[in-house]
Coordinates of all heavy atoms in Angstrom, one line a residue:
M85 N 4.3 -10.6 -15.5 CA 4.5 -10.0 -14.2 C 5.4 -10.9 -13.3 O 5.3 -12.0 -13.3 CB 3.1 -9.9 -13.5 CG 3.0 -9.4 -12.1 SD 2.8 -7.7 -11.7 CE 1.8 -7.0 -13.0
Q86 N 6.3 -10.2 -12.7 CA 7.3 -10.8 -11.9 C 6.7 -11.4 -10.6 O 5.9 -10.6 -10.0 CB 8.5 -9.9 -11.6 CG 9.5 -10.4 -10.7 CD 10.5 -9.3 -10.3 OE1 10.5 -8.2 -10.6 NE2 11.5 -9.7 -9.5
E87 N 7.0 -12.6 -10.2 CA 6.5 -13.2 -9.0 C 7.6 -13.4 -8.0 O 8.8 -13.8 -8.4 CB 5.9 -14.6 -9.3 CG 4.6 -14.5 -10.0 CD 3.9 -15.9 -10.1 OE1 4.4 -16.8 -9.5 OE2 2.8 -16.0 -10.8
R88 N 7.4 -13.0 -6.7 CA 8.4 -13.1 -5.7 C 7.8 -13.9 -4.6 O 6.8 -13.6 -4.0 CB 8.9 -11.8 -5.2 CG 9.5 -10.9 -6.4 CD 10.0 -9.5 -6.0 NE 8.9 -8.6 -5.8 CZ 8.7 -7.9 -4.7 NH1 9.5 -8.0 -3.7 NH2 7.7 -7.2 -4.6
T89 N 8.4 -15.1 -4.3 CA 7.8 -15.9 -3.3 C 8.8 -16.0 -2.1 O 10.0 -15.8 -2.2 CB 7.6 -17.3 -3.9 OG1 8.8 -17.9 -4.3 CG2 6.6 -17.4 -5.1
G90 N 8.2 -16.5 -1.0 CA 8.9 -16.8 0.3 C 9.4 -15.5 1.0 O 10.2 -15.6 1.9
L91 N 8.9 -14.4 0.7 CA 9.3 -13.1 1.4 C 8.4 -12.8 2.5 O 8.9 -12.2 3.5 CB 9.3 -12.0 0.4 CG 10.2 -12.1 -0.8 CD1 10.1 -11.0 -1.7 CD2 11.7 -12.1 -0.3
I92 N 7.2 -13.1 2.5 CA 6.2 -12.8 3.6 C 5.2 -13.9 3.8 O 5.0 -14.7 2.9 CB 5.4 -11.5 3.3 CG1 4.5 -11.6 2.0 CG2 6.4 -10.3 3.1 CD1 3.6 -10.4 1.9
T93 N 4.5 -13.8 5.0 CA 3.5 -14.8 5.2 C 2.3 -14.0 5.7 O 2.4 -12.9 6.2 CB 4.0 -15.9 6.2 OG1 4.2 -15.1 7.5 CG2 5.1 -16.7 5.8
F94 N 1.1 -14.7 5.6 CA -0.1 -14.1 6.2 C -0.7 -15.3 7.0 O -1.0 -16.3 6.4 CB -1.1 -13.7 5.1 CG -2.4 -13.2 5.6 CD1 -2.4 -12.0 6.4 CD2 -3.6 -13.9 5.4 CE1 -3.6 -11.5 6.8 CE2 -4.7 -13.4 5.9 CZ -4.8 -12.2 6.6
Q95 N -0.9 -15.1 8.3 CA -1.4 -16.1 9.2 C -0.6 -17.4 9.1 O -1.1 -18.5 9.1 CB -2.8 -16.3 9.0 CG -3.7 -15.1 9.3 CD -5.2 -15.3 9.2 OE1 -5.6 -16.3 8.6 NE2 -5.9 -14.4 9.8
G96 N 0.8 -17.3 8.9 CA 1.6 -18.4 8.8 C 1.7 -19.0 7.4 O 2.5 -20.0 7.2
N97 N 1.0 -18.5 6.5 CA 1.0 -19.2 5.2 C 1.8 -18.2 4.1 O 1.6 -17.0 4.2 CB -0.5 -19.3 4.6 CG -1.3 -20.2 5.5 OD1 -0.8 -21.3 5.8 ND2 -2.5 -19.8 5.9
P98 N 2.6 -18.8 3.4 CA 3.4 -18.0 2.5 C 2.5 -17.3 1.3 O 1.6 -17.9 0.9 CB 4.4 -19.0 1.8 CG 3.8 -20.3 2.0 CD 3.0 -20.2 3.3
L99 N 2.9 -16.1 1.0 CA 2.2 -15.4 0.0 C 3.2 -15.1 -1.1 O 4.3 -15.0 -1.0 CB 1.7 -14.0 0.5 CG 0.6 -14.0 1.5 CD1 0.2 -12.6 1.9 CD2 -0.6 -14.7 0.9
T100 N 2.6 -15.0 -2.4 CA 3.5 -14.6 -3.6 C 3.2 -13.1 -3.9 O 2.0 -12.7 -4.0 CB 3.0 -15.5 -4.8 OG1 3.3 -16.9 -4.5 CG2 3.9 -15.0 -6.0
L101 N 4.2 -12.4 -3.9 CA 4.1 -10.9 -4.3 C 4.2 -10.8 -5.8 O 5.1 -11.5 -6.4 CB 5.2 -10.1 -3.6 CG 5.2 -10.2 -2.0 CD1 6.3 -9.4 -1.5 CD2 3.9 -9.7 -1.5
L102 N 3.5 -9.9 -6.4 CA 3.6 -9.7 -7.8 C 4.3 -8.4 -8.1 O 3.9 -7.3 -7.4 CB 2.2 -9.7 -8.4 CG 1.5 -11.0 -8.3 CD1 0.1 -11.0 -8.9 CD2 2.2 -12.2 -8.9
G103 N 5.1 -8.3 -9.0 CA 5.7 -7.1 -9.4 C 7.1 -6.9 -8.9 O 7.6 -7.7 -8.0
P104 N 7.9 -6.0 -9.4 CA 9.2 -5.8 -8.9 C 9.3 -5.2 -7.5 O 8.3 -4.5 -7.1 CB 9.9 -4.8 -9.9 CG 8.6 -4.0 -10.4 CD 7.5 -5.0 -10.4
E105 N 10.4 -5.4 -6.8 CA 10.6 -4.8 -5.4 C 10.8 -3.3 -5.7 O 11.6 -2.9 -6.5 CB 11.8 -5.5 -4.7 CG 12.1 -4.9 -3.5 CD 13.3 -5.5 -2.8 OE1 14.0 -6.4 -3.3 OE2 13.6 -5.1 -1.6
I106 N 10.2 -2.5 -4.8 CA 10.4 -1.1 -4.7 C 11.2 -0.8 -3.6 O 10.9 -1.2 -2.5 CB 9.0 -0.4 -4.7 CG1 8.2 -0.7 -6.0 CG2 9.2 1.1 -4.6 CD1 6.8 -0.3 -5.9
K107 N 12.3 0.0 -3.8 CA 13.2 0.3 -2.7 C 13.2 1.8 -2.4 O 12.7 2.6 -3.2 CB 14.7 -0.1 -3.1 CG 14.8 -1.5 -3.3 CD 16.2 -1.9 -3.8 CE 16.3 -3.4 -4.0 NZ 17.2 -3.8 -5.0
T108 N 13.6 2.1 -1.2 CA 13.7 3.5 -0.8 C 14.4 4.3 -1.9 O 15.4 4.0 -2.3 CB 14.3 3.7 0.5 OG1 13.6 2.9 1.5 CG2 14.4 5.1 1.0
G109 N 13.8 5.4 -2.2 CA 14.3 6.3 -3.3 C 13.9 6.0 -4.7 O 14.0 6.9 -5.5
D110 N 13.2 4.8 -4.9 CA 12.7 4.6 -6.2 C 11.5 5.4 -6.5 O 10.7 5.8 -5.6 CB 12.3 3.1 -6.3 CG 13.4 2.1 -6.4 OD1 14.6 2.6 -6.5 OD2 13.1 0.9 -6.3
T111 N 11.2 5.7 -7.8 CA 10.0 6.3 -8.2 C 8.9 5.3 -8.2 O 9.0 4.3 -8.7 CB 10.2 6.9 -9.6 OG1 11.3 7.9 -9.6 CG2 8.9 7.7 -10.1
A112 N 7.8 5.7 -7.5 CA 6.7 4.8 -7.5 C 6.1 4.6 -8.9 O 5.9 5.6 -9.6 CB 5.6 5.4 -6.5
P113 N 5.8 3.3 -9.2 CA 5.1 3.0 -10.5 C 3.7 3.6 -10.4 O 3.0 3.7 -9.3 CB 5.1 1.6 -10.6 CG 5.2 1.1 -9.2 CD 6.0 2.1 -8.5
D114 N 3.1 3.9 -11.6 CA 1.7 4.3 -11.6 C 0.8 3.2 -11.2 O 1.1 2.0 -11.4 CB 1.3 4.8 -13.0 CG 0.0 5.7 -13.0 OD1 -0.3 6.3 -12.0 OD2 -0.6 5.7 -14.1
F115 N -0.2 3.5 -10.5 CA -1.2 2.5 -10.0 C -2.6 3.1 -9.8 O -2.6 4.4 -9.8 CB -0.8 1.8 -8.7 CG -0.7 2.8 -7.5 CD1 -1.7 3.1 -6.7 CD2 0.6 3.4 -7.3 CE1 -1.6 4.0 -5.7 CE2 0.7 4.3 -6.2 CZ -0.4 4.6 -5.5
E116 N -3.5 2.3 -9.7 CA -4.9 2.7 -9.4 C -5.4 2.3 -8.1 O -5.2 1.2 -7.7 CB -5.9 2.2 -10.5 CG -7.3 2.7 -10.4 CD -8.2 2.3 -11.5 OE1 -8.1 2.9 -12.6 OE2 -8.9 1.3 -11.3
A117 N -6.0 3.2 -7.4 CA -6.5 2.9 -6.0 C -7.9 3.6 -5.9 O -8.3 4.3 -6.8 CB -5.6 3.3 -4.9
L118 N -8.6 3.5 -4.8 CA -9.8 4.2 -4.5 C -9.6 5.3 -3.6 O -8.8 5.2 -2.7 CB -10.8 3.2 -3.9 CG -11.2 2.0 -4.8 CD1 -12.2 1.1 -4.0 CD2 -11.8 2.4 -6.1
D119 N -10.3 6.5 -3.9 CA -10.1 7.6 -3.1 C -11.2 7.5 -1.9 O -11.9 6.6 -1.8 CB -10.3 8.9 -3.9 CG -11.7 9.1 -4.4 OD1 -12.6 8.4 -4.1 OD2 -11.8 10.0 -5.3
T120 N -11.3 8.6 -1.2 CA -12.2 8.5 -0.1 C -13.7 8.4 -0.4 O -14.6 8.2 0.4 CB -12.0 9.8 0.9 OG1 -12.2 10.9 0.1 CG2 -10.6 9.8 1.6
D121 N -14.0 8.8 -1.6 CA -15.3 8.6 -2.2 C -15.5 7.3 -2.8 O -16.5 7.1 -3.6 CB -15.8 9.8 -3.1 CG -15.7 11.1 -2.4 OD1 -16.3 11.1 -1.2 OD2 -15.3 12.1 -3.0
L122 N -14.5 6.4 -2.8 CA -14.4 5.1 -3.5 C -14.5 5.1 -5.0 O -15.0 4.3 -5.6 CB -15.7 4.2 -2.9 CG -15.6 3.9 -1.4 CD1 -16.8 3.0 -1.1 CD2 -14.3 3.2 -1.0
K123 N -13.9 6.3 -5.5 CA -13.8 6.5 -6.9 C -12.3 6.1 -7.3 O -11.4 6.5 -6.5 CB -14.2 7.9 -7.3 CG -15.6 8.2 -7.1 CD -15.9 9.6 -7.5 CE -17.4 9.9 -7.3 NZ -17.7 11.3 -7.4
P124 N -12.1 5.5 -8.4 CA -10.8 5.2 -8.9 C -9.9 6.4 -9.1 O -10.4 7.5 -9.6 CB -10.9 4.5 -10.2 CG -12.3 4.1 -10.2 CD -13.1 5.1 -9.4
V125 N -8.7 6.4 -8.7 CA -7.7 7.5 -8.8 C -6.4 6.9 -9.1 O -6.0 5.8 -8.6 CB -7.6 8.4 -7.6 CG1 -7.1 7.7 -6.3 CG2 -6.8 9.6 -7.9
T126 N -5.6 7.5 -10.1 CA -4.3 7.0 -10.4 C -3.2 7.8 -9.8 O -3.5 9.0 -9.6 CB -4.1 6.8 -11.9 OG1 -4.2 8.1 -12.5 CG2 -5.0 5.9 -12.6
L127 N -2.1 7.3 -9.6 CA -1.0 8.1 -9.0 C -0.7 9.2 -10.0 O -0.4 10.3 -9.7 CB 0.3 7.2 -8.7 CG 1.5 7.9 -8.1 CD1 1.1 8.6 -6.8 CD2 2.6 6.9 -8.0
S128 N -0.6 8.9 -11.3 CA -0.2 9.8 -12.3 C -1.2 11.0 -12.4 O -0.9 12.1 -12.7 CB -0.1 9.2 -13.7 OG -1.4 8.7 -14.1
S129 N -2.4 10.8 -11.9 CA -3.4 11.9 -11.9 C -3.1 12.9 -10.7 O -3.7 14.0 -10.7 CB -4.9 11.4 -11.8 OG -5.1 10.9 -10.5
L130 N -2.3 12.5 -9.9 CA -1.9 13.4 -8.7 C -0.6 14.1 -9.0 O 0.0 14.7 -8.0 CB -1.9 12.6 -7.5 CG -3.2 11.9 -7.1 CD1 -3.0 11.0 -5.9 CD2 -4.3 12.9 -6.9
D131 N -0.1 14.1 -10.2 CA 1.2 14.7 -10.5 C 1.3 16.1 -10.0 O 0.4 16.9 -10.2 CB 1.5 14.6 -12.1 CG 2.9 15.0 -12.4 OD1 3.8 14.5 -11.6 OD2 3.1 15.5 -13.4
G132 N 2.4 16.5 -9.4 CA 2.6 17.8 -8.9 C 2.0 18.0 -7.4 O 2.2 19.1 -6.9
K133 N 1.3 17.1 -6.9 CA 0.8 17.2 -5.5 C 1.6 16.3 -4.6 O 2.2 15.4 -5.0 CB -0.7 16.7 -5.6 CG -1.6 17.6 -6.4 CD -3.0 17.0 -6.3 CE -3.9 17.9 -7.1 NZ -5.3 17.4 -7.1
V134 N 1.6 16.7 -3.3 CA 2.3 15.9 -2.3 C 1.3 14.6 -2.1 O 0.1 14.8 -1.9 CB 2.4 16.7 -1.0 CG1 3.0 15.7 0.1 CG2 3.4 17.8 -1.2
V135 N 1.9 13.5 -2.1 CA 1.2 12.2 -1.9 C 1.9 11.4 -0.9 O 3.1 11.1 -0.9 CB 1.2 11.4 -3.3 CG1 0.4 10.1 -3.1 CG2 0.5 12.2 -4.4
I136 N 1.1 10.9 0.1 CA 1.5 10.0 1.1 C 0.7 8.7 0.9 O -0.5 8.7 0.9 CB 1.3 10.5 2.6 CG1 2.0 11.9 2.7 CG2 1.6 9.6 3.6 CD1 1.7 12.6 4.0
I137 N 1.5 7.6 0.8 CA 0.9 6.3 0.6 C 0.9 5.5 1.8 O 2.1 5.3 2.4 CB 1.6 5.6 -0.6 CG1 1.5 6.4 -1.9 CG2 1.0 4.2 -0.8 CD1 2.4 5.9 -3.0
S138 N -0.2 5.0 2.3 CA -0.3 4.1 3.5 C -1.0 2.9 3.0 O -2.3 3.0 2.7 CB -0.9 4.8 4.6 OG -1.0 3.9 5.7
S139 N -0.4 1.8 2.9 CA -1.1 0.6 2.5 C -1.6 -0.3 3.7 O -0.8 -0.7 4.5 CB -0.1 -0.2 1.6 OG -0.7 -1.6 1.3
V140 N -2.9 -0.4 3.7 CA -3.5 -1.1 4.8 C -4.4 -2.3 4.3 O -5.6 -1.9 3.8 CB -4.3 -0.2 5.8 CG1 -4.9 -0.9 6.9 CG2 -3.4 0.9 6.2
P141 N -4.0 -3.5 4.2 CA -4.9 -4.6 3.7 C -6.2 -4.8 4.4 O -7.2 -5.0 3.8 CB -4.0 -5.8 3.8 CG -2.6 -5.3 3.9 CD -2.7 -4.0 4.6
S142 N -6.2 -4.7 5.8 CA -7.4 -5.0 6.5 C -7.3 -4.3 7.9 O -6.4 -4.5 8.7 CB -7.6 -6.4 6.8 OG -8.7 -6.7 7.6
L143 N -8.3 -3.4 8.2 CA -8.3 -2.8 9.6 C -8.7 -3.8 10.6 O -8.7 -3.4 11.8 CB -9.3 -1.6 9.5 CG -8.8 -0.4 8.7 CD1 -9.8 0.7 8.6 CD2 -7.5 0.2 9.2
D144 N -9.1 -5.0 10.2 CA -9.4 -6.0 11.3 C -8.2 -6.7 11.9 O -8.4 -7.6 12.7 CB -10.3 -7.1 10.6 CG -11.7 -6.5 10.1 OD1 -12.1 -5.5 10.6 OD2 -12.2 -7.2 9.1
T145 N -7.0 -6.2 11.5 CA -5.9 -6.9 12.1 C -5.2 -5.8 13.0 O -5.2 -4.7 12.8 CB -4.8 -7.3 11.0 OG1 -4.4 -6.2 10.3 CG2 -5.5 -8.3 10.0
P146 N -4.6 -6.3 14.1 CA -4.0 -5.4 15.1 C -3.0 -4.5 14.4 O -2.8 -3.2 14.8 CB -3.4 -6.3 16.2 CG -4.1 -7.6 16.0 CD -4.5 -7.7 14.6
V147 N -2.1 -5.0 13.6 CA -1.0 -4.2 13.0 C -1.6 -3.1 12.1 O -1.2 -1.9 12.2 CB 0.0 -5.1 12.3 CG1 1.0 -4.3 11.5 CG2 0.7 -6.0 13.2
C148 N -2.4 -3.5 11.2 CA -3.1 -2.4 10.3 C -3.9 -1.4 11.1 O -3.8 -0.2 10.7 CB -4.0 -3.1 9.3 SG -3.1 -4.2 8.1
S149 N -4.6 -1.9 12.2 CA -5.3 -0.9 13.0 C -4.4 0.1 13.6 O -4.6 1.3 13.7 CB -6.2 -1.6 14.0 OG -6.9 -0.7 14.8
L150 N -3.3 -0.4 14.3 CA -2.3 0.4 15.0 C -1.6 1.3 13.9 O -1.5 2.6 14.2 CB -1.3 -0.5 15.6 CG -0.2 0.2 16.4 CD1 -0.8 1.0 17.5 CD2 0.8 -0.8 16.9
Q151 N -1.3 0.8 12.7 CA -0.6 1.6 11.8 C -1.6 2.8 11.3 O -1.1 4.0 11.3 CB -0.3 0.8 10.5 CG 0.2 1.6 9.4 CD 0.4 0.8 8.1 OE1 0.8 -0.3 8.2 NE2 0.2 1.4 7.0
T152 N -2.8 2.6 11.1 CA -3.8 3.6 10.7 C -4.0 4.6 11.8 O -4.0 5.8 11.6 CB -5.1 3.0 10.3 OG1 -4.9 2.1 9.2 CG2 -6.1 4.0 9.9
S153 N -4.1 4.2 13.0 CA -4.2 5.1 14.2 C -3.0 6.0 14.3 O -3.2 7.2 14.4 CB -4.5 4.3 15.5 OG -4.5 5.1 16.6
R154 N -1.8 5.4 14.2 CA -0.6 6.2 14.3 C -0.4 7.2 13.2 O -0.1 8.3 13.4 CB 0.5 5.3 14.4 CG 1.9 5.9 14.2 CD 2.5 6.2 15.6 NE 3.7 7.0 15.5 CZ 4.9 6.5 15.6 NH1 5.0 5.2 15.9 NH2 6.0 7.3 15.5
F155 N -0.8 6.7 12.0 CA -0.7 7.6 10.8 C -1.6 8.8 11.0 O -1.2 9.9 10.7 CB -1.1 6.8 9.5 CG -1.2 7.7 8.3 CD1 0.0 7.9 7.6 CD2 -2.4 8.2 7.9 CE1 -0.1 8.8 6.5 CE2 -2.5 9.0 6.8 CZ -1.3 9.3 6.0
N156 N -2.9 8.5 11.5 CA -3.8 9.7 11.6 C -3.3 10.6 12.7 O -3.5 11.9 12.5 CB -5.2 9.1 12.0 CG -5.9 8.5 10.8 OD1 -5.5 8.8 9.7 ND2 -6.8 7.5 11.0
K157 N -2.7 10.2 13.7 CA -2.1 11.0 14.8 C -1.0 11.9 14.2 O -0.9 13.1 14.4 CB -1.6 10.2 15.9 CG -2.6 9.7 16.9 CD -1.9 9.0 18.1 CE -3.0 8.4 19.0 NZ -2.3 7.7 20.0
E158 N -0.1 11.2 13.4 CA 1.1 11.9 12.8 C 0.7 12.9 11.8 O 1.2 14.0 11.7 CB 2.0 11.0 12.2 CG 2.6 10.0 13.2 CD 3.7 10.6 14.0 OE1 4.4 11.5 13.7 OE2 3.9 10.0 15.2
A159 N -0.4 12.6 11.0 CA -0.8 13.5 10.0 C -1.5 14.7 10.6 O -1.5 15.7 10.1 CB -1.8 12.8 9.0

């Protein structure tokens, strides 16, 4: 797995990102996440459907909370 360091920090501490950089226009790689019922779902299982991805590490942070609130208003 490709490691990318020095790109972001969390609370002032550097983090290492794993995997290749995804750029605008790239096809998203298949991944697994949890649905609203906390059941695993893969991106490939949603083939043919409109999918909006919003990544929120923690709602306990002001940025993530604001992002989620704004997303819900826009949606």
Side-chain angles (χ1 to χ4, degrees):
M85 173 98 24
Q86 177 185 1
E87 291 187 4
R88 297 179 291 128
T89 58
L91 298 174
I92 64 167
T93 61
F94 178 70
Q95 296 182 344
N97 299 310
L99 292 178
T100 299
L101 300 177
L102 299 176
E105 179 181 2
I106 299 172
K107 297 179 180 148
T108 301
D110 287 352
T111 299
D114 197 24
F115 62 87
E116 184 177 279
L118 298 178
D119 67 11
T120 55
D121 295 321
L122 301 179
K123 294 181 182 170
V125 62
T126 60
L127 182 59
S128 60
S129 70
L130 302 171
D131 193 36
K133 297 181 180 179
V134 174
V135 178
I136 299 172
I137 300 168
S138 178
S139 175
V140 181
S142 174
L143 291 176
D144 295 336
T145 64
V147 172
C148 291
S149 181
L150 181 62
Q151 174 184 325
T152 301
S153 178
R154 171 91 186 259
F155 176 84
N156 288 336
K157 280 183 187 176
E158 297 283 334

